[in-house]
């Protein structure tokens, strides 16, 4: 059985006062799903102190452990700050910072070194989807972004179609099912633990559409942007995952 994970990505949102949302989530009990919040790096230490059973993650890490990389954060620094997870290869990093699959694989491997679980993101653009290239793109990103040592413990995959992120547009359940079944097949063929690796869907997940998305085979949770900023919205998504 794959882990069930509801992960929230605050992106470049969140000041100290917003930790009140995390405190509300920390007051939950009995969740079957693992709950993860990835606040901006500036809030990680304070978030850890308030998180209770909610795990805290970073949104990116550098591939190196230390060095002359102004502005970057290493996986070891995230770990020391109390993080248990880190997102690698989010499409906004790939677009804004030119990260390639090879960069994402290096960051993922770096995440594992101090014991972080990497949430590795992949997903096609609208042009690629309309050109009928979704599975080709997802397949090559999956192959290129995952180092050989991926296990269900150290790696979670997030399928996030770029055109669904922050747009309110969501693929049909059939489209999600097709990609998730494809990823499961590829992961099972390549990795011993591929059948158990958690596969998250991301892109405009809201409390109102979460239950139907979690009903799709091989969807083991979600990576949530906008709807993770308010505990009331994210709580509804966690409830739906608990029930799935
Ligand atoms: P969204 O973002 O939920 O706001 O669409 C998802 C993501 O980028 O992880």
């Amino acid at each position: 059985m794959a882990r069930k994970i509801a992960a929230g990505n605050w992106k470049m949102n969140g000041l100290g006062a917003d930790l009140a949302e995390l405190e509300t989530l920390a007051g939950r009990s009995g969740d079957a799903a693992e709950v993860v919040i990835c606040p901006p790096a500036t809030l990680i230490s304070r978030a850890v102190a308030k998180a209770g059973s909610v795990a805290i993650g970073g949104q990116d890490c550098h591939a190196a452990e230390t060095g002359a990389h102004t502005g970057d954060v290493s996986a070891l620094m995230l770990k020391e700050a109390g993080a248990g997870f880190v997102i690698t290869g989010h499409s906004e990093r790939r677009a804004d910072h030119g990260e390639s699959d090879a960069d994402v694989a290096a960051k993922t491997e770096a995440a594992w070194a101090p014991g972080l679980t990497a949430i590795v993101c992949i997903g096609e653009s609208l042009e690629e989807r309309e050109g009928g290239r979704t599975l080709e793109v997802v397949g090559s990103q999956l192959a290129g972004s995952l180092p050989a040592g991926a296990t269900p413990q150290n790696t979670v995959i997030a399928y996030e179609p770029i055109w669904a992120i922050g747009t309110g547009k969501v693929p049909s359940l059939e489209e999600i099912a097709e990609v998730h079944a494809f990823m499961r097949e590829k992961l099972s063929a390549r990795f011993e633990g591929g059948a158990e690796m958690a596969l998250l869907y991301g892109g405009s997940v809201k409390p109102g559409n979460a239950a139907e998305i979690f009903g799709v085979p091989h969807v083991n949770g979600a990576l949530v942007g906008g709807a993770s900023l308010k505990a009331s919205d994210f709580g509804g998504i966690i409830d739906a995952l608990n029930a799935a």
Side-chain angles (χ1 to χ4, degrees):
M1 278 276 286
R3 304 156 76 169
K4 280 186 176 187
I5 301 176
N9 172 12
W10 282 10
K11 308 191 179 183
M12 200 171 72
N13 300 292
L15 296 171
D18 298 299
L19 292 173
E21 300 298 327
L22 177 62
E23 281 183 277
T24 303
L25 292 174
R28 295 177 59 93
S29 61
D31 288 323
E34 293 176 63
V35 180
V36 184
I37 289 287
C38 302
T42 47
L43 288 182
I44 288 178
S45 293
R46 277 186 284 168
V48 167
K50 298 187 173 193
S53 63
V54 175
I56 298 300
Q59 298 176 9
D60 173 55
C61 65
H62 196 278
E65 200 171 284
T66 56
H69 304 290
T70 303
D72 279 310
V73 173
S74 76
L76 185 58
M77 291 168 182
L78 294 173
K79 177 73 178 180
E80 197 209 37
F85 289 77
V86 63
I87 298 169
T88 59
H90 191 282
S91 60
E92 289 153 13
R93 299 278 326 167
R94 291 176 185 262
D96 295 356
H97 299 270
E99 292 183 10
S100 65
D101 288 338
D103 294 328
V104 177
K107 285 170 182 246
T108 300
E109 186 123 36
W112 297 340
L116 298 180
T117 296
I119 302 175
V120 183
C121 301
I122 59 173
E124 82 286 359
S125 66
L126 186 59
E127 194 188 343
E128 288 161 345
R129 161 123 342 234
E130 287 177 342
R133 297 178 49 218
T134 299
L135 295 185
E136 179 196 322
V137 169
V138 166
S140 83
Q141 289 185 347
L142 196 60
S145 305
L146 284 184
T151 70
Q153 289 71 44
N154 67 20
T155 301
V156 173
I157 310 295
Y159 167 57
E160 300 203 305
I162 295 167
W163 52 274
I165 294 176
T167 59
K169 292 190 190 124
V170 179
S172 69
L173 299 180
E174 291 72 23
E175 286 169 334
I176 296 174
E178 181 187 37
V179 174
H180 277 247
F182 174 80
M183 294 193 296
R184 177 67 73 217
E185 185 191 311
K186 293 288 174 203
L187 292 168
S188 300
R190 180 169 170 208
F191 299 103
E192 206 176 311
E196 272 88 48
M197 225 171 261
L199 306 182
L200 314 185
Y201 166 78
S204 298
V205 177
K206 309 284 176 213
N209 62 16
E212 60 181 18
I213 292 171
F214 296 146
V216 173
H218 305 297
V219 174
N220 310 116
L223 180 57
V224 183
S228 72
L229 296 171
K230 292 279 169 247
S232 51
D233 290 337
F234 198 48
I237 293 169
I238 299 165
D239 289 342
L241 186 56
N242 285 336

